[in-house]
mmCIF file with all atom_site columns, all heavy atoms in Angstrom:
data_model
loop_
_atom_site.group_PDB
_atom_site.id
_atom_site.type_symbol
_atom_site.label_atom_id
_atom_site.label_alt_id
_atom_site.label_comp_id
_atom_site.label_asym_id
_atom_site.label_entity_id
_atom_site.label_seq_id
_atom_site.pdbx_PDB_ins_code
_atom_site.Cartn_x
_atom_site.Cartn_y
_atom_site.Cartn_z
_atom_site.occupancy
_atom_site.B_iso_or_equiv
_atom_site.pdbx_formal_charge
_atom_site.auth_seq_id
_atom_site.auth_comp_id
_atom_site.auth_asym_id
_atom_site.auth_atom_id
_atom_site.pdbx_PDB_model_num
ATOM 1  N N   . GLY A 1 96  ? -9.704  28.198 7.893  1.00 96.00 ? 96  GLY A N   1
ATOM 2  C CA  . GLY A 1 96  ? -11.140 28.418 7.847  1.00 96.00 ? 96  GLY A CA  1
ATOM 3  C C   . GLY A 1 96  ? -11.384 29.877 8.128  1.00 96.00 ? 96  GLY A C   1
ATOM 4  O O   . GLY A 1 96  ? -10.748 30.516 8.922  1.00 96.00 ? 96  GLY A O   1
ATOM 5  N N   . VAL A 1 97  ? -12.377 30.434 7.419  1.00 95.00 ? 97  VAL A N   1
ATOM 6  C CA  . VAL A 1 97  ? -12.669 31.882 7.531  1.00 95.00 ? 97  VAL A CA  1
ATOM 7  C C   . VAL A 1 97  ? -14.198 32.126 7.479  1.00 95.00 ? 97  VAL A C   1
ATOM 8  O O   . VAL A 1 97  ? -14.875 31.589 6.617  1.00 95.00 ? 97  VAL A O   1
ATOM 9  C CB  . VAL A 1 97  ? -12.071 32.670 6.383  1.00 95.00 ? 97  VAL A CB  1
ATOM 10 C CG1 . VAL A 1 97  ? -12.178 34.205 6.648  1.00 95.00 ? 97  VAL A CG1 1
ATOM 11 C CG2 . VAL A 1 97  ? -10.562 32.312 6.178  1.00 95.00 ? 97  VAL A CG2 1
ATOM 12 N N   . ILE A 1 98  ? -14.690 32.850 8.453  1.00 92.00 ? 98  ILE A N   1
ATOM 13 C CA  . ILE A 1 98  ? -16.069 33.332 8.353  1.00 92.00 ? 98  ILE A CA  1
ATOM 14 C C   . ILE A 1 98  ? -16.116 34.427 7.339  1.00 92.00 ? 98  ILE A C   1
ATOM 15 O O   . ILE A 1 98  ? -15.139 35.135 7.055  1.00 92.00 ? 98  ILE A O   1
ATOM 16 C CB  . ILE A 1 98  ? -16.571 33.845 9.708  1.00 92.00 ? 98  ILE A CB  1
ATOM 17 C CG1 . ILE A 1 98  ? -15.628 34.898 10.283 1.00 92.00 ? 98  ILE A CG1 1
ATOM 18 C CG2 . ILE A 1 98  ? -16.723 32.666 10.700 1.00 92.00 ? 98  ILE A CG2 1
ATOM 19 C CD1 . ILE A 1 98  ? -16.215 35.580 11.527 1.00 92.00 ? 98  ILE A CD1 1
ATOM 20 N N   . GLN A 1 99  ? -17.264 34.659 6.752  1.00 87.00 ? 99  GLN A N   1
ATOM 21 C CA  . GLN A 1 99  ? -17.442 35.665 5.749  1.00 87.00 ? 99  GLN A CA  1
ATOM 22 C C   . GLN A 1 99  ? -17.475 37.082 6.402  1.00 87.00 ? 99  GLN A C   1
ATOM 23 O O   . GLN A 1 99  ? -18.029 37.244 7.446  1.00 87.00 ? 99  GLN A O   1
ATOM 24 C CB  . GLN A 1 99  ? -18.642 35.445 4.883  1.00 87.00 ? 99  GLN A CB  1
ATOM 25 C CG  . GLN A 1 99  ? -18.508 34.195 4.004  1.00 87.00 ? 99  GLN A CG  1
ATOM 26 C CD  . GLN A 1 99  ? -19.653 34.125 3.024  1.00 87.00 ? 99  GLN A CD  1
ATOM 27 O OE1 . GLN A 1 99  ? -20.761 34.633 3.189  1.00 87.00 ? 99  GLN A OE1 1
ATOM 28 N NE2 . GLN A 1 99  ? -19.409 33.420 1.901  1.00 87.00 ? 99  GLN A NE2 1
ATOM 29 N N   . GLY A 1 100 ? -16.829 38.053 5.716  1.00 87.00 ? 100 GLY A N   1
ATOM 30 C CA  . GLY A 1 100 ? -16.881 39.426 6.212  1.00 87.00 ? 100 GLY A CA  1
ATOM 31 C C   . GLY A 1 100 ? -15.866 39.676 7.270  1.00 87.00 ? 100 GLY A C   1
ATOM 32 O O   . GLY A 1 100 ? -16.061 40.544 8.113  1.00 87.00 ? 100 GLY A O   1
ATOM 33 N N   . LEU A 1 101 ? -14.782 38.953 7.288  1.00 85.00 ? 101 LEU A N   1
ATOM 34 C CA  . LEU A 1 101 ? -13.709 39.213 8.290  1.00 85.00 ? 101 LEU A CA  1
ATOM 35 C C   . LEU A 1 101 ? -13.144 40.575 8.101  1.00 85.00 ? 101 LEU A C   1
ATOM 36 O O   . LEU A 1 101 ? -12.610 40.863 7.032  1.00 85.00 ? 101 LEU A O   1
ATOM 37 C CB  . LEU A 1 101 ? -12.660 38.106 8.178  1.00 85.00 ? 101 LEU A CB  1
ATOM 38 C CG  . LEU A 1 101 ? -11.446 38.213 9.127  1.00 85.00 ? 101 LEU A CG  1
ATOM 39 C CD1 . LEU A 1 101 ? -11.923 37.865 10.540 1.00 85.00 ? 101 LEU A CD1 1
ATOM 40 C CD2 . LEU A 1 101 ? -10.338 37.307 8.695  1.00 85.00 ? 101 LEU A CD2 1
#
Side-chain angles (χ1 to χ4, degrees):
V97 189
I98 55 173
Q99 291 190 335
L101 181 70

